[in-house]
Amino acid sequence: MKTMEPITVYVHFPWCLKKCPYCDFVSFAKAREAIDHRGYADAVLAELRKREEVLGERELRSIFFGGGTPSLWEPDEMGRVLSAVTAAAGRRSPDLEVTVECNPTSLDEQRARAFRAIGVNRLSVGVQGLDVERLRFLGRLHDPDGGLGALSAALRSGMPRVSGDLIYGVAVGTVEAAREQRPEQAAAEARAVASTGVTHISAYSLTVEPGTSFGELARRGRLPLAGDDGVADTFFAIDEALEAEGLAHYEVSNYARPGDEARHNLGYWQGIDYIGLGCAAYGTVSRPDPRWGLRSAGAEGHDGEASAVRYRNIVSPERYMAAMAEGGEAIAVESEERLAPETRLSERIMLGLRLREGLDLEAAAAALGVPAWPPSRRRAAERLERAGRLEVAGGRVRVPRAAWVFADGIAADLF
Ligand code: SF4
């Protein structure tokens, strides 16, 4: 059988019941009844029709409904999108992964069964923590029982794979009397989530982003913050707890039972093309279809393997839906850029070094047609190796686990 290049699809659903104060994703607070479930599905389907030529030439490896809170979306409407995406693919991977991001307040067993019925095989649930005060501080609408209950409901529904998300490195209280989550508390919470039987856990440290409520509080010096040393200790406490529970630490922030790694995210980390559908979605596609009518001069043309275009769709849901309802040839793109091969290699390094297995730098560079080891990178790699922060073997580079908390900085040294 002829081999086809793999591709993944991301579908953005832009609404949540409430905006969390730390969140910088494109999401807008809206009551479930006020959401135009059908209209949004129609808009995404209209966009898909304009992008389906690319899908038709590829093997579809995964579909990810992210947001926002896509578990708010009526399953029938999501199902129309899911069917159309899978039908447009040239081929479906035999282990096609279909994930929906969920919040505990919009997931119960019945809803999980409804997702299962339309072909979803993986749910990722935003548990975020198991402490009432911390959840309240994070602006979450659920309590610890709600988080664990949503995981259990998902598993009871027969959903084959369920992931729980955690946020650590959170301090509550006041700046003057901040109370940090202790490493042993974080480990206990991770163990409790693992004990529900989930197949995967993501554990991210809280990052304070500009433009969010937390960012504004931090700017004014009013946000209690956890110290760097405590956050690093917590990282290793969670690592130890989850490895002992049989969840392998396969990426800096992700753990999985064997074979249950998130295939969609692995696609990003391994540099596989992806199509983004929906408002604010990004896509990155090598050799895009000329009929996409890319607007920027720098984005035009497609001269071989190394060329790729990254686009971003219109951010506002209303403007996106209006543009798609108008019909015509245009795609609702807000911006697009041509990615130079060197930029793509830097991204591969950035993301690949977050994986336990690291990255085959020489193979990635050869595929992109750029040198793997310009003198500056060679010097930086030797320096990092001496410091115990990088291992170089054959063409592969990887960050030893003890240095994972520095992974992003290490990658930047290698650009
Ligand atoms: S539920 Fe998730 S996407 Fe929605 S505001 Fe909170 S963190 Fe952001």
Side-chain angles (χ1 to χ4, degrees):
M1 200 198 298
K2 187 169 151 276
T3 57
M4 279 185 171
E5 265 184 80
I7 196 162
T8 68
V9 173
Y10 172 83
V11 183
H12 191 73
F13 183 82
W15 296 287
C16 297
L17 293 178
K18 173 176 178 279
K19 183 79 184 175
C20 303
Y22 59 89
C23 174
D24 77 334
F25 297 120
V26 175
S27 62
F28 307 94
K30 207 162 199 172
R32 187 195 299 248
E33 316 75 57
I35 295 170
D36 183 357
H37 296 261
R38 186 167 187 81
Y40 192 68
D42 286 340
V44 172
L45 288 168
E47 186 191 353
L48 173 65
R49 283 194 288 277
K50 297 171 197 241
R51 298 199 187 276
E52 64 189 0
E53 291 85 2
V54 172
L55 265 177
E57 296 160 358
R58 308 287 186 95
E59 179 174 300
L60 181 64
R61 186 178 280 192
S62 69
I63 306 171
F64 192 99
F65 291 89
T69 307
S71 53
L72 285 173
W73 206 354
E74 280 310 316
D76 285 351
E77 298 303 334
M78 182 189 284
R80 288 203 294 139
V81 172
L82 177 51
S83 308
V85 170
T86 49
R91 186 183 300 154
R92 295 175 213 175
S93 165
D95 52 3
L96 176 71
E97 176 185 274
V98 184
T99 303
V100 176
E101 276 187 331
C102 306
N103 268 323
T105 40
S106 50
L107 184 71
D108 56 18
E109 189 176 334
Q110 192 189 1
R111 200 158 190 85
R113 282 187 197 283
F115 287 134
R116 185 88 195 92
I118 60 169
V120 174
N121 55 25
R122 184 172 182 274
L123 297 179
S124 174
V125 185
V127 176
Q128 314 310 14
L130 296 177
D131 175 87
V132 177
E133 194 181 4
R134 205 175 330 108
L135 285 172
R136 205 171 294 142
F137 175 74
L138 290 172
R140 308 296 298 183
L141 291 170
H142 62 276
D143 60 14
D145 287 347
L148 291 174
L151 293 175
S152 301
L155 289 159
R156 270 200 316 276
S157 76
M159 188 62 64
R161 299 163 67 209
V162 177
S163 179
D165 279 4
L166 290 169
I167 296 177
Y168 66 92
V170 179
V172 296
T174 61
V175 172
E176 295 73 25
R179 292 191 304 287
E180 292 182 27
Q181 178 191 33
R182 292 192 308 279
E184 60 273 21
Q185 286 176 317
E189 291 178 34
R191 266 194 298 273
V193 169
S195 70
T196 60
V198 293
T199 54
H200 186 279
I201 292 179
S202 300
Y204 288 93
S205 64
L206 178 69
T207 47
V208 179
E209 305 287 355
T212 62
S213 302
F214 273 10
E216 179 55 20
L217 280 175
R219 199 181 60 77
R220 291 193 277 119
R222 299 310 310 152
L223 185 74
L225 292 168
D228 288 348
D229 288 351
V231 173
D233 289 348
T234 303
F235 172 89
F236 289 111
I238 294 172
D239 166 280
E240 203 176 305
L242 291 183
E243 286 274 348
E245 293 286 328
L247 286 136
H249 199 171
Y250 72 99
E251 194 266 354
V252 171
S253 305
N254 286 280
Y255 301 80
R257 301 200 189 277
D260 282 321
E261 295 81 8
R263 286 176 212 133
H264 188 82
N265 288 343
L266 278 175
Y268 293 141
W269 298 322
Q270 294 167 345
I272 290 171
D273 282 0
Y274 56 95
I275 287 184
L277 300 172
C279 67
Y282 286 96
T284 302
V285 178
S286 312
R287 303 178 313 287
D289 190 295
R291 283 165 293 185
W292 285 16
L294 298 167
R295 298 172 311 179
S296 62
E300 279 167 8
H302 20 89
D303 51 2
E305 288 298 313
S307 136
V309 164
R310 172 158 308 143
Y311 63 84
R312 186 181 208 194
N313 286 342
I314 291 173
V315 170
S316 150
E318 291 73 27
R319 284 184 46 233
Y320 168 81
M321 288 165 72
M324 287 294 101
E326 260 175 30
E329 283 302 301
I331 295 181
V333 165
E334 179 170 281
S335 62
E336 64 211 12
E337 60 173 324
R338 169 80 170 272
L339 298 178
E342 291 77 13
T343 309
R344 297 188 79 192
L345 187 61
S346 294
E347 291 184 349
R348 294 290 310 278
I349 293 171
M350 187 75 175
L351 298 170
L353 284 184
R354 294 179 60 88
L355 288 167
R356 179 179 50 193
E357 66 189 29
L359 152 88
D360 189 336
L361 175 64
E362 292 183 7
L368 292 165
V370 292
W373 294 109
S376 59
R377 182 173 296 142
R378 175 74 73 192
R379 280 195 300 275
E382 286 168 1
R383 203 172 51 244
L384 289 163
E385 260 189 306
R386 282 196 297 277
R389 295 195 170 186
L390 190 73
E391 292 169 0
V392 183
R396 295 196 76 83
V397 289
R398 65 190 283 272
V399 176
R401 192 186 298 190
W404 268 8
V405 281
F406 310 113
D408 291 348
I410 292 168
D413 284 352
L414 294 175
F415 288 172

